[in-house]
Amino acid sequence: MPAETTKLPVFATIRDVFAVTARHIGELFRFSWPWLLALIVISGAIYWSLYPIERQSMAENGTGSNTLWFTSLLASTVIGAMIAVPWHRRILIDEHQTLQSGLQFDSLKLSYAAKALQLMFAMAAPGMLMFSLMPPSEAEAEFSAQDAFWTIAIIAWLTALLLFMNRFSLALPATAVGDPNAGFGESWRASKGNTWRLALVSFLATLLPLLLLFIALEHVMSGGMASVDASETTTRLSFTIANVFTEFVAMLIGMLYVTFLSLAYRHFAGAMGSRTVRADLS
C-alpha cells in the first residue's frame, strides 16, 4: 500500500532547488548545450517567419496570434523535455550525464515529451480559447465591464495553472526515472493536501526569479521588453532577437522548475510507490 502523503517542506525545498542546481550547473551545460543551440535556431526561424502574422493580429485584434504562441510553446516544450530527462536523472538517481547521453533519444525521452505535451495542451488550451474570443481592444477606450470580465478570467486561468499543474507534473520526473507508477492520476493522488505548498515553492523558486530577471532586463535591453511585442518593435530582426533571447532565458530558468519537480517527486515518491530515487541530494 502506498505510503501516507507528508507535507512538502516549503522553505527547505526552495533552498534545495537553488543548492542542487548550483552544484550541478556545469554538468547541465555540458550535456544540454546542443539543445540550447537548437532552441536558438528553431525559435529564430519561428519568430522570423511568423512575424507578419503577429503584426497583423496585433493590428486587428490588439493581441498576439495563437499561431505564434502555440508554435513557440510546442518547440520549447519538446526541446525542454530533451534536457529535462537527463537533468531529472542526475538529481534523482545520481546518474552522471555526458554530451552523448544528453543527445541520446530513447523511449524515456519520447514518453516524457508526450506527457509534457499533454500538460502543455491542457495548460494552453483555455488561454488560447479566451484570447480567440476576446474582442479587439481599443487603445483609448475606457475600462469596461467586459474588460473586467476578461481580466478576471485570465487571472483565474493563471491561478488554476499555478495551483493544479504542479500536482499533475510530478508524473514527469517519475517518467524520467522509469517509474512504472508515472501516471497523472498517481501524481495527483500522491500530492494530495499539498496544492498550496507546491504552488508556493514553484512560484518562489522558479516564477519569481524569472519575473525579477525580466524586470532587470527591462532596464538593460534597448527598447526594454517591448521588443518582444510585434506592435512595439520597429523591425523583424529586433523582434526575433528579443524573443529568441527571452526563450533562451526562460529555458535556463525552467531548469529550476525541473529541479523543483525532481525534489518534490523525491518527497512524494513513497506515496507514488516508487523505489527508484536516491534519498540524498549529492
Side-chain angles (χ1 to χ4, degrees):
M1 179 177 294
E4 183 180 354
T5 303
T6 57
K7 299 298 183 181
L8 182 74
V10 172
F11 295 106
T13 304
I14 294 172
R15 177 200 63 205
D16 289 341
V17 165
F18 292 108
V20 172
T21 302
R23 189 176 304 142
H24 303 301
I25 191 69
E27 189 172 336
L28 172 62
F29 280 110
R30 281 196 297 274
F31 73 75
S32 67
W33 70 262
W35 292 112
L36 294 174
L37 182 60
L39 175 71
I40 293 173
V41 173
I42 294 173
S43 294
I46 290 172
Y47 283 101
W48 179 271
S49 62
L50 295 180
Y51 174 74
I53 296 177
E54 187 74 359
R55 288 278 292 183
Q56 181 180 0
S57 177
M58 293 296 296
E60 294 178 354
N61 306 314
T63 60
S65 69
N66 280 337
T67 302
L68 178 59
W69 182 31
F70 179 79
T71 307
S72 60
L73 192 58
L74 178 65
S76 61
T77 299
V78 173
I79 293 174
M82 300 302 104
I83 302 173
V85 170
W87 188 231
H88 282 304
R89 295 179 67 83
R90 179 63 184 94
I91 296 169
L92 289 170
I93 60 175
D94 199 26
E95 181 180 273
H96 290 270
Q97 302 298 323
T98 64
L99 181 59
Q100 181 179 0
S101 62
L103 291 174
Q104 182 180 356
F105 189 78
D106 53 23
S107 60
L108 284 179
K109 288 184 177 178
L110 182 62
S111 179
Y112 189 102
K115 284 190 172 72
L117 287 172
Q118 290 177 56
L119 288 171
M120 185 271 285
F121 288 134
M123 173 191 75
M128 294 176 66
L129 179 61
M130 282 191 294
F131 290 130
S132 65
L133 294 176
M134 288 174 62
S137 60
E138 299 179 9
E140 298 182 359
E142 294 184 358
F143 191 77
S144 64
Q146 181 175 254
D147 295 328
F149 169 79
W150 288 112
T151 300
I152 293 172
I154 292 173
I155 292 174
W157 166 56
L158 294 175
T159 302
L161 290 181
L162 181 63
L163 290 178
F164 302 122
M165 291 304 291
N166 294 315
R167 291 186 58 187
F168 289 115
S169 295
L170 294 179
L172 296 177
T175 300
V177 296
D179 186 345
N181 300 309
F184 294 124
E186 288 81 0
S187 172
W188 179 266
R189 286 189 290 273
S191 57
K192 181 180 179 181
N194 284 271
T195 300
W196 287 100
R197 290 171 177 268
L198 287 165
L200 185 58
V201 175
S202 68
F203 177 77
L204 293 178
T206 62
L207 293 178
L208 185 59
L210 185 63
L211 290 173
L212 293 176
L213 180 58
F214 283 151
I215 290 172
L217 291 174
E218 175 70 26
H219 299 285
V220 174
M221 291 173 59
S222 176
M225 293 305 294
S227 299
V228 305
D229 188 341
S231 67
E232 299 288 341
T233 189
T234 56
T235 68
R236 193 177 199 168
L237 180 61
S238 61
F239 172 76
T240 301
I241 292 174
N243 278 282
V244 168
F245 180 73
T246 301
E247 292 279 0
F248 183 80
V249 170
M251 181 65 71
L252 294 181
I253 298 295
M255 290 304 107
L256 286 173
Y257 187 71
V258 175
T259 305
F260 153 65
L261 288 180
S262 297
L263 299 180
Y265 168 69
R266 169 180 283 131
H267 180 81
F268 297 118
M272 293 181 71
S274 173
R275 296 179 175 84
T276 307
V277 302
R278 289 168 58 94
D280 59 77
L281 298 175
S282 61

